[in-house]
Amino acid sequence: MKVVLLDLETHFSTPQVEEAMDLVRETTEYDLTQPQAGYFHCLSKNPDYHVEMALTEEGFVTAKCHCAVFKRSKICPHAIASLMILRDHKIRNRRVRSKSKHEKLLLDEVLRKLNITELRKFISDYGHSHSAFRAEVLAYYLHRIRKPDYHHLLTDMTPMDKFGVIKLNRNNLKSVRNIVSILLRQAQDLLKDNALPQTIQILEAVIHHLYRLMIKVPQFQDQLATELKHALKLFDAFCQLPMAPRLQKTALTLAMEVSARDGFILLKGTHTLLRSAEPFILEKKARIAAFQLVESKISLENPQRILWACLWLRWTRVWGIESKHKKIKTILKSSTPDILTELQSQRAYDDILFVLSNTRVEQFPQPIAHHMLQIGLKAARLLGDEKSGQTFAYALSTIHHDKDAWETLFSLDADRAIKSLTIVQEYNKPNEHKEVEDFLLHGFQLSGQKKMLLDRLAALDDIHQLMRYDSSLIASHTVALAELYARQMNALRDTYGGESVRRQLTTIVYHLKDVDLHTLVMEEIKKMEKTDTQTNTASSTIKGFIFDLDGVIVDTAEHHFLSWKKILKQLGADITEEDDRHTRGASRIESLEYLLAKYQINLSQKEKEHWAAKKNDLYLLSIEEITPRDLLPGVLAFLLDAKKAGLSIALGSASKNAKTVLEKLAIENRFDAILDGTSTKKSKPDPEIFVKCCKAMNLEPGEVVVFEDAVKGVQAALAAGCKVVGIGDAAILHEADFTMTGLDQSTPTQILEKLK
Ligand code: BG6
Ligand code: MG
């Protein structure tokens, strides 16, 4: 007796099968053993029988029973029942553990030999209550049959009542989902093996079936969505693969059907599919239908509208279809930047150029327009479209001052690149926008326009740019470059004072040494100083400067005032800002006298001395921490430049603490003469201090300018016959020749010019 194990029923007559089935039910105690590979023994005690079976690799099984009936006719109910037990055992085994490769092949072989009718019969008879098993068998083996009808099978396996209405509940939903998962797993394997026609057969049936179920039993939508997502993911991957035209058509139809459903996504793979299918698959009617479908998806409410719009634009371009809807155009217009970004991520460079050729980029805000053009330039370069590339690069250079784009333009059309530089130069004054300067200098350097580079650098107040771009000028414009450095280094010193300038100058000197320009620049600086001195002394009658200390060189005026405030508080009075005007410039004791008189406080001489000393203690305490950093802005540079201009300089302060303060500021050696509160008897506005300063400098008062922050000081200087520059509020210091807010506001040369 030689039969196929899985198809026993067709080998025996119905009464034989029925008898065997009864026997199986009766056989409650039996042992099924496998003494060696492919051999089985079925030993039953009740009823008593013993059958030996041998299973060949081809799937055939032979059985030999030890009963008399078998000996006689080579067939007996024991043998058939044992085969059924064996089959049962194998199926059970297969369900609990995954099939070994060998078993799989075996089963494969067996099923291959069955025809569809036999298979169907087997499945529906045997696996009636085992839907998962049925699906598994179907999934694994059905695709081997030429035209498997998955639609039919899925419907077949979906619970329905006798009127054909789908009856899903929580229990049978599980098995339906199971069936679908098994089919999808199979589709996934087939896809891996590149068996595309078989894959799409399963996917198409499953996707449609799932949609159908979701509509019919909406309460299970969430659960079914898991399988649907999986199916769409597979389909998405499917669409990305190259395939034969017939298959493309099927895939495209399915893609469109999926897309046409509300709320469902546009699969990324659709783009790939379309790209390969577009030129030869779709007929005009189909194209228009597809186009209209996409159009219906472009609405402000649809979060995926950008993706749809990209598709719409693509078809407009590829198929030359025109839309009549104005609303779409408005939506598209406002979304152009997003569309371009999406197209870039899809690498749809043709579409990018198409969109840009229909867009007025300049209507978008600058940074957005800049980005749009950058996308365009990249696309043009990748497509090798020189003409578009030039157009974008020119706009990016001229309007957006984009250095990279300019380089591209230069490589494509040097003349146009230079023209762009000229335009930017014409429309932008030097020093207004840093990015314009970077753009121009970079362009001039790269295009070898040395004269332009030098001129622009000369027009800038930016020595750092000079350091960055000097390399291309050193050989050809050495002297001009040295002059420029000398001028800018002087200007740097004039404009700012203090530590930061010193540090900057040191960096510049190191750089100059590096590029071998140091000696030449230093010579230039000396030359300039010489001419400065000559012009000053030749043209000006002014030969000396006198500086007040508190409020001109250092901000100690505030400390004087606050110390007085504290003292007067102790004496029972609240002094005001107005009082500051009267004590500023006045000697210590005169300041006290003024305040006592104003607040009607009577003190003896001894008491006055006591409180004046106390104020000084407070003042000294407050200035204890003063360092050179506390010099008012521009002071050091001003003193140095005054010296360089050949002027004598003196200090004329009413303060008895002047020398201490000067030491703390480390500038005591900068003065030709220092006169302070210890050198005079009379206090400002008496001219005594300034007259003495002039004498010490050997100058006539008419040859001297005094810098003063106090009204009393201004009056003293005028009384001495000097010129006065008021440092502070012009309204308060209106008697001065002119005023400025600090020494950082001007240079000695400019002061001399002004006083001429
Ligand atoms: C002047 C200040 O410079 O010196 C005054 O403007 C101050 O406010 C005066 O009173 C005297 O200073 P000192 O240090 O001697 O008390
Ligand atoms: Mg002062």
Side-chain angles (χ1 to χ4, degrees), residues 287-426:
R287 283 179 179 182
I288 289 173
F291 188 80
Q292 279 167 353
L293 163 72
V294 172
E295 206 164 49
S296 72
K297 296 279 174 183
I298 307 174
S299 74
L300 286 172
E301 299 81 54
N302 187 346
Q304 276 205 317
R305 66 178 172 282
I306 300 297
L307 279 178
W308 289 105
C310 290
L311 199 56
W312 185 91
L313 282 158
R314 178 172 178 77
W315 288 346
T316 312
R317 177 177 70 78
V318 181
W319 297 335
I321 302 180
E322 282 275 335
S323 170
K324 288 176 198 80
H325 292 287
K326 273 199 183 143
K327 216 176 96 198
I328 301 261
K329 285 195 177 156
T330 329
I331 295 175
L332 289 181
K333 208 169 141 194
S334 60
S335 318
T336 312
D338 293 334
I339 291 174
L340 285 173
T341 311
E342 175 56 32
L343 288 173
Q344 192 181 30
S345 75
Q346 293 177 11
R347 299 178 190 185
Y349 302 120
D350 279 320
D351 295 333
I352 291 176
L353 296 191
F354 175 69
V355 171
L356 282 171
S357 67
N358 290 306
T359 306
R360 290 176 61 195
V361 179
E362 66 283 359
Q363 285 181 338
F364 291 88
Q366 268 254 4
I368 295 174
H370 188 171
H371 184 59
M372 289 163 77
L373 288 167
Q374 276 177 327
I375 293 178
L377 178 59
K378 196 174 161 205
R381 283 170 76 174
L382 285 163
L383 290 175
D385 182 340
E386 271 200 20
K387 203 168 156 247
S388 307
Q390 272 190 35
T391 313
F392 298 138
Y394 185 74
L396 279 166
S397 306
T398 318
I399 303 166
H400 303 282
H401 316 125
D402 184 317
K403 287 201 277 188
D404 293 337
W406 184 86
E407 277 186 30
T408 310
L409 182 64
F410 187 64
S411 67
L412 294 172
D413 184 345
D415 287 346
R416 218 163 160 207
I418 289 167
K419 191 177 152 206
S420 152
L421 289 177
T422 318
I423 292 175
V424 174
Q425 157 126 308
E426 267 172 27

Side-chain angles (χ1 to χ4, degrees), residues 548-550 557 560-561 564 580 583-588 591 615-616 619 653-658 677 684 709-710:
D548 171 47
L549 175 68
D550 300 312
H560 278 298
F561 176 70
W564 281 128
D580 183 43
T583 53
R584 215 175 252 246
S587 72
R588 196 180 309 164
S591 300
K615 179 263 171 182
N616 199 43
Y619 174 70
S653 165
S655 171
K656 289 182 174 144
N657 295 306
K684 295 172 189 174
D709 71 313

